[in-house]
Amino acid sequence: MDELKIEQERVYDVIEKIERTSNDLRDKMQNVASDIIHIRKNFWEDVRVNFDNADDALETHMSLRQQTELLSERERSHQHSNSRLRVLEKLTYTPYFGRIDFLEEGEKDVDCLYIGIGSFHDEETDQFLVYDWRAPICSLYYDSSLGHASFKAPNGTIEGDIQLKRQYVIRNGQIRSMFDTGVTIGDEILQEVLGNNSDAHMKSIVATIQKEQNKIIRDEKHRILIVQGAAGSGKTSAALQRVAYLLYRYRDSLQADQILMFSPNPLFASYVSTVLPELGEENMQQATFQQFVGKKIEKHLHVEDPFSQMEDILSSPNNAKVEEMQVKASMDFMHMIDKYVTQLQHDGIVFKDITFRGRTLLSAEQLTTEFYAMDHSTRIPNRMRLLAEWVMKELRMQERKERQEAWVEEEMQLLNKEDYMDAYHKTQESDNEFTGYEQEQNLLAAQVVADHFKSLYKRVKRLRFVDSFETYKQLFTRSTELPKEMCDRSLGRLNENKLSYEDATAYLYVKEVIEGLGRNASVRHLFIDEAQDYSPFQLAYLKKLFPHCKMTLLGDLHQTIHIQAMQTNFLTGNALFDPSKTETIILKRSYRSTEQIIDFTRSLIPGGHEIEPFNRKGSKPLVVNTTNIQQQVENLKKHGHGTIAIICKTEKETKEVYEEFGKSMSLSMIEKETTSLQQGVLVMPSYLAKGMEFDAVIVYDASNYVGENERNLFYTVCTRAMHELVICYTGGMSDFLKEVPASLYEHGR
């Protein structure tokens, strides 16, 4: 029997056992689901409720707890089984994609290991028929060639010999191709995967992980992992597989909600949302930096989003605005704030009056006097806590006085019967010998005032008597280091309760230095995608906010599109951390685009010759002097592309294209609020294309990209194309295009 037939018989056998296990699991899930429905329906019937005495109350509490725990256990079991079933269903179509035959040193028998997106254990034979790609031994598949090899197991390093390394392309249970390979994942399987059309969601890359990507995925040693990757090098995909690996490796101690990823925009969160569930894992927390910051800032303040900022700069370049953005993004500005905070130790913090029913109970002057009477060597947040305790004592005295006010008597007359009964029971429980109408009235008054003071006490605990915003504004009236014009512009916005994007992080830093930095201890792994667009100030702020978690920073210096980050290098993020705990990995090979597109795009940027194209052939980019894109779209549709993106420079331009061509071409417009991606013909502004990929890209009017500040943006837009790239322009050809050798593109008409 030939090798292919033997392998196909094994596939059939494994799939049959997987299907049998899946059916058993479905039956189990159905029973568990019935249990859950029964418990919910009969919850109170199965609980003995009796509060007549302490023993009965305790028994009731224990009964409630048992029922709640039983329900939670059944729900967890159902959720776990459902995740397992999703993996088994994937394995039914493609049970595995790789195989290694490994002879461990000191052993006589060769271990034949088949590798898939999840493990499958055959209960009858007590054997693993499929190994999860994240298992330690499977690192051999990604990292090692034939011959001597080793891998790190939980109990130490295992040495041995790889005697066979085989790859499969299996679809719907049929082996389409099978080949033995040496050092790394063969180009054949990559050619097939990369040649497919794009989708509305990012795909898992476990079958095609490259050695350098595997290094990112399995790194456990370093606290900070910095990845500089060329466009299309798979850095984001590797990051998601890294999340899956960490959840597998530390499944007993790490939960998905302890991992946080900062995405470049809301659309991207949807784009990557299916990768982890495909691997049987829950999605980690995701947010944009803007969303994260916005939750910490008072609702009455309007915070500029980075896309509006980009739109302003791209539409009407403003040197003064750019200078201000870069100053406030710098570490020098953070050091300036630190000096300001040192001054605030002695004077300058702005407080608010504490008022009740239109009257001032404690004035801002009283709070200021009390605060600055404390030891100046005590940290500001600690003094704030002490001040809050003093305020609470003062308010309790005020609360007792308030009971004599006329409004209390008036409100007592409006109390319902239940309130009166509550007061009556309290008089009965009192140790005071006298009980009667007078005491009842006193208790009622106390209850009325206490209800009104609850929100006051809550605000004091949250330090709402501190005016951090006014304190931040004061920085620009006191500063001698910032230009007066910059201070005046800043104050103009702040007086209108507006925070520019670069002010938002700086304000939060001041706020949290005064009130106490709300350090996050629950997040254990922080992933920052498109890290090149984060300013030094933002990265330093995140370091202070997440002092104990591990960080993975992913980016590409050539795709830096935000002005405030252009003068910096996120690779120097290791300057913020201990170099001995920081690892930097460079990914130079690009897989997304065809060789012809990569040759074209790398000629747009300095140092582009270092980018290595994957050997996938295609047509040269087409450069056309036109903005009538309808014909270009029709041509691309004929080639069978599922997603065609028309990328404009600005939102204004995007809307103009949508209005002109929307009906005739059935366009979908992508805006900054868009949270899901559909297949078809899309139109979007340049800055929302970050991190995305499309079968074909039409760059709308490349003539609009001018000046060095927009070189990276133009490069980023062009690198979104997987199979075909069309660049339209009007009038004279863009300076960026003039730098590209004419042999690297076709000039259409």
Side-chain angles (χ1 to χ4, degrees):
M1 188 181 293
D2 65 22
E3 195 75 12
L4 178 59
K5 192 170 182 180
I6 294 172
E7 290 281 15
Q8 184 62 66
E9 288 297 326
R10 186 185 191 278
V11 170
Y12 290 147
D13 182 57
V14 170
I15 288 177
E16 182 184 347
K17 291 180 177 179
I18 291 173
E19 288 177 337
R20 196 182 311 146
T21 301
S22 297
N23 290 332
D24 292 342
L25 188 57
R26 288 189 188 94
D27 292 340
K28 176 186 173 184
M29 288 174 64
Q30 191 171 2
N31 292 333
V32 172
S34 298
D35 287 348
I36 292 171
I37 293 170
H38 176 80
I39 294 170
R40 287 175 176 169
K41 185 177 180 180
N42 302 286
F43 189 92
W44 292 107
E45 294 178 13
D46 296 335
V47 175
R48 293 186 57 191
V49 180
N50 191 342
F51 294 100
D52 289 346
N53 54 54
D55 289 340
D56 289 335
L58 179 61
E59 185 178 349
T60 297
H61 173 74
M62 294 299 294
S63 180
L64 276 168
R65 185 174 178 179
Q66 287 173 358
Q67 281 296 101
T68 302
E69 288 179 350
L70 179 62
L71 179 60
S72 296
E73 186 275 327
R74 290 289 191 275
E75 288 175 337
R76 284 194 301 271
S77 174
H78 191 273
Q79 185 178 10
H80 175 76
S81 297
N82 191 48
S83 297
R84 180 60 184 155
L85 184 60
R86 286 203 307 266
V87 174
L88 290 177
E89 287 172 347
K90 293 283 183 182
L91 294 180
T92 303
Y93 295 99
T94 305
Y96 40 83
F97 52 79
R99 165 185 168 182
I100 51 173
D101 291 359
F102 183 68
L103 179 62
E104 185 180 336
E105 281 188 1
E107 299 291 333
K108 295 181 180 178
D109 297 327
V110 174
D111 291 321
C112 182
L113 312 171
Y114 288 82
I115 302 166
I117 65 165
S119 62
F120 177 66
H121 181 259
D122 183 16
E123 300 293 341
E124 294 179 4
T125 61
D126 193 27
Q127 289 183 327
F128 275 97
L129 300 183
V130 183
Y131 281 79
D132 192 300
W133 66 277
R134 296 166 289 185
I137 194 170
C138 293
S139 64
L140 294 170
Y141 177 74
Y142 298 109
D143 291 341
S144 304
S145 57
L146 298 178
H148 184 266
S150 63
F151 68 95
K152 292 181 180 178
N155 58 347
T157 300
I158 306 296
E159 305 278 346
D161 190 73
I162 296 179
Q163 299 186 350
L164 176 71
K165 190 172 178 182
R166 179 168 291 170
Q167 293 175 255
Y168 309 87
V169 176
I170 303 175
R171 298 291 182 267
N172 295 321
Q174 296 292 323
I175 299 178
R176 289 188 179 178
S177 61
M178 177 185 85
F179 43 88
D180 295 343
T181 185
V183 179
T184 186
I185 310 305
D187 281 356
E188 293 92 340
I189 198 169
L190 267 173
Q191 289 280 11
E192 184 198 356
V193 172
L194 298 173
N196 291 333
N197 282 348
S198 66
D199 202 346
H201 296 97
M202 180 179 280
K203 301 180 182 70
S204 168
I205 62 165
V206 294
T208 58
I209 292 169
Q210 303 296 289
K211 185 174 182 178
E212 65 272 18
Q213 294 168 337
N214 197 45
K215 188 178 179 183
I216 296 167
I217 292 166
R218 295 178 187 258
D219 186 285
E220 300 175 42
K221 177 182 177 183
H222 301 95
R223 184 175 164 218
I224 309 298
L225 184 62
I226 299 175
V227 180
Q228 156 64 34
S233 59
K235 51 188 177 294
T236 301
S237 296
L240 291 168
Q241 314 304 318
R242 174 168 170 76
V243 172
Y245 172 77
L246 291 169
L247 290 171
Y248 174 86
R249 175 72 175 82
Y250 300 100
R251 55 190 174 276
D252 295 329
S253 59
L254 181 67
Q255 304 298 319
D257 60 5
Q258 294 175 306
I259 301 174
L260 171 62
M261 174 176 277
F262 284 132
S263 304
N265 53 58
L267 178 62
F268 188 78
S270 169
Y271 180 59
V272 302
S273 63
T274 60
V275 174
L276 290 172
E278 277 188 8
L279 300 173
E281 303 290 355
E282 293 181 32
N283 270 318
M284 67 277 162
Q285 297 184 69
Q286 275 200 81
T288 64
F289 184 75
Q290 173 78 5
Q291 290 169 335
F292 179 77
V293 166
K295 288 181 180 179
K296 293 174 169 288
I297 292 176
E298 296 89 329
K299 291 182 180 179
H300 73 279
L301 298 176
H302 176 74
V303 184
E304 178 188 40
D305 66 74
F307 308 121
S308 297
Q309 185 191 73
M310 279 283 297
E311 193 70 26
D312 286 346
I313 296 298
L314 292 174
S315 301
S316 54
N318 183 325
N319 291 334
K321 171 71 172 171
V322 169
E323 180 189 5
E324 182 181 340
M325 290 163 57
Q326 292 177 339
V327 166
K328 291 181 178 178
S330 68
M331 289 302 296
D332 287 341
F333 190 57
M334 179 174 270
H335 297 326
M336 193 184 306
I337 290 176
D338 289 336
K339 291 178 187 176
Y340 175 55
V341 170
T342 301
Q343 296 173 18
L344 295 178
Q345 290 273 73
H346 304 280
D347 73 275
I349 294 179
V350 182
F351 292 95
K352 301 176 187 176
D353 292 338
I354 296 178
T355 61
F356 180 72
R357 296 181 67 85
R359 291 181 288 114
T360 299
L361 301 183
L362 288 170
S363 69
E365 290 75 15
Q366 287 175 283
L367 295 172
T368 302
T369 301
E370 184 66 25
F371 180 82
Y372 283 112
M374 298 177 191
D375 184 354
H376 288 193
S377 64
T378 304
R379 291 178 62 250
I380 290 177
N382 293 339
R383 287 155 71 184
M384 284 297 173
R385 300 300 163 191
L386 293 172
L387 181 61
E389 291 176 11
W390 176 81
V391 170
M392 295 289 272
K393 290 177 184 177
E394 292 293 314
L395 289 181
R396 289 190 188 100
M397 289 190 288
Q398 294 279 5
E399 182 184 347
R400 286 193 288 273
K401 293 179 184 177
E402 196 70 23
R403 297 169 189 171
Q404 308 305 317
E405 295 293 327
W407 70 268
V408 179
E409 177 69 27
E410 293 171 6
E411 197 155 312
M412 285 166 57
Q413 303 303 321
L414 302 175
L415 290 176
N416 57 35
K417 182 179 178 181
E418 287 75 15
D419 293 326
Y420 272 108
M421 290 302 297
D422 184 48
Y424 173 77
H425 287 306
K426 287 180 180 177
T427 62
Q428 300 303 308
E429 296 167 3
S430 172
D431 292 333
N432 196 321
E433 292 182 5
F434 173 77
T435 59
Y437 177 77
E438 183 178 349
Q439 187 172 4
E440 180 183 313
Q441 293 299 100
N442 289 338
L443 283 168
L444 281 171
Q447 183 174 321
V448 167
V449 175
D451 287 344
H452 282 272
F453 264 64
K454 277 180 183 176
S455 61
L456 204 56
Y457 289 135
K458 188 180 293 185
R459 288 178 62 81
V460 171
K461 287 180 181 178
R462 294 176 180 175
L463 305 181
R464 294 293 187 262
F465 54 83
V466 186
D467 199 332
S468 296
F469 186 62
E470 286 297 323
T471 306
Y472 178 67
K473 282 168 61 176
Q474 202 172 241
L475 168 66
F476 300 100
T477 61
R478 288 187 170 196
S479 175
T480 58
E481 300 178 56
L482 295 174
K484 183 179 184 304
E485 296 80 6
M486 188 180 296
C487 291
D488 290 343
R489 284 196 305 272
S490 298
L491 285 170
R493 287 192 304 271
L494 296 173
N495 285 332
E496 296 177 355
N497 288 337
K498 294 178 180 178
L499 280 167
S500 65
Y501 182 60
E502 62 273 12
D503 268 314
T505 309
Y507 164 58
L508 273 185
Y509 183 58
V510 169
K511 178 181 171 68
E512 296 186 357
V513 165
I514 292 173
E515 300 178 16
L517 195 66
R519 290 183 174 87
N520 190 311
S522 63
V523 173
R524 293 175 54 191
H525 286 271
L526 178 65
F527 288 74
I528 303 177
D529 202 6
E530 305 293 350
Q532 77 280 351
D533 280 325
Y534 284 68
S535 71
F537 195 123
Q538 289 171 334
L539 290 176
Y541 172 70
L542 289 174
K543 180 197 172 188
K544 291 177 182 292
L545 211 58
F546 299 94
H548 305 300
C549 80
K550 293 188 174 183
M551 293 188 185
T552 302
L553 279 64
L554 311 131
D556 177 15
L557 293 174
H558 296 307
Q559 295 184 68
T560 305
I561 65 171
H562 288 285
I563 297 292
Q564 70 269 21
M566 283 190 174
Q567 304 301 315
T568 62
N569 183 339
F570 85 101
L571 293 176
T572 60
N574 54 10
L576 294 171
F577 310 101
D578 182 350
S580 66
K581 296 180 181 178
T582 302
E583 174 75 359
T584 300
I585 297 175
I586 310 294
L587 301 178
K588 294 183 178 181
R589 199 176 195 200
S590 180
Y591 300 96
R592 173 185 297 137
S593 308
T594 62
E595 185 175 354
Q596 285 71 23
I597 293 176
I598 293 173
D599 283 341
F600 174 88
T601 55
R602 66 179 179 171
S603 66
L604 295 170
I605 52 174
H609 63 278
E610 296 183 0
I611 298 172
E612 302 168 8
F614 177 69
N615 184 26
R616 182 167 68 87
K617 302 299 182 182
S619 57
K620 291 180 181 179
L622 178 65
V623 177
V624 187
N625 185 0
T626 183
T627 54
N628 187 349
I629 55 174
Q630 189 156 357
Q631 184 59 51
Q632 305 304 324
V633 170
E634 293 303 320
N635 291 339
L636 293 171
K637 279 184 175 180
K638 290 175 184 177
H639 296 165
H641 298 309
T643 54
I644 300 170
I646 303 164
I647 304 181
C648 304
K649 181 180 173 182
T650 63
E651 180 184 45
K652 179 176 179 292
E653 192 175 74
T654 300
K655 289 180 177 178
E656 290 172 354
V657 170
Y658 182 73
E659 289 172 4
E660 183 176 355
F661 299 103
K663 292 182 179 178
S664 60
M665 293 196 299
S666 186
L667 287 180
S668 296
M669 183 165 63
I670 304 299
E671 302 175 274
K672 62 184 179 183
E673 297 86 7
T674 304
T675 57
S676 62
L677 186 68
Q678 304 296 324
Q679 287 194 303
V681 185
L682 315 170
V683 59
M684 66 183 68
S686 55
Y687 44 82
L688 290 183
K690 293 280 303 232
M692 311 298 291
E693 60 183 28
F694 310 97
D695 291 332
V697 165
I698 298 173
V699 180
Y700 184 80
D701 204 353
S703 306
N704 289 336
Y705 295 84
V706 294
E708 280 303 307
N709 283 344
E710 295 180 8
R711 179 183 292 276
N712 287 350
L713 183 62
F714 185 63
Y715 167 76
T716 301
V717 165
C718 293
T719 55
R720 301 306 94 197
M722 294 174 61
H723 309 304
E724 291 197 63
L725 173 63
V726 178
I727 300 174
C728 299
Y729 71 95
T730 57
M733 187 182 287
S734 163
D735 289 340
F736 302 138
L737 290 175
K738 290 177 183 177
E739 298 172 8
V740 179
S743 60
L744 297 181
Y745 61 88
E746 299 288 345
H747 206 146
R749 294 182 181 179

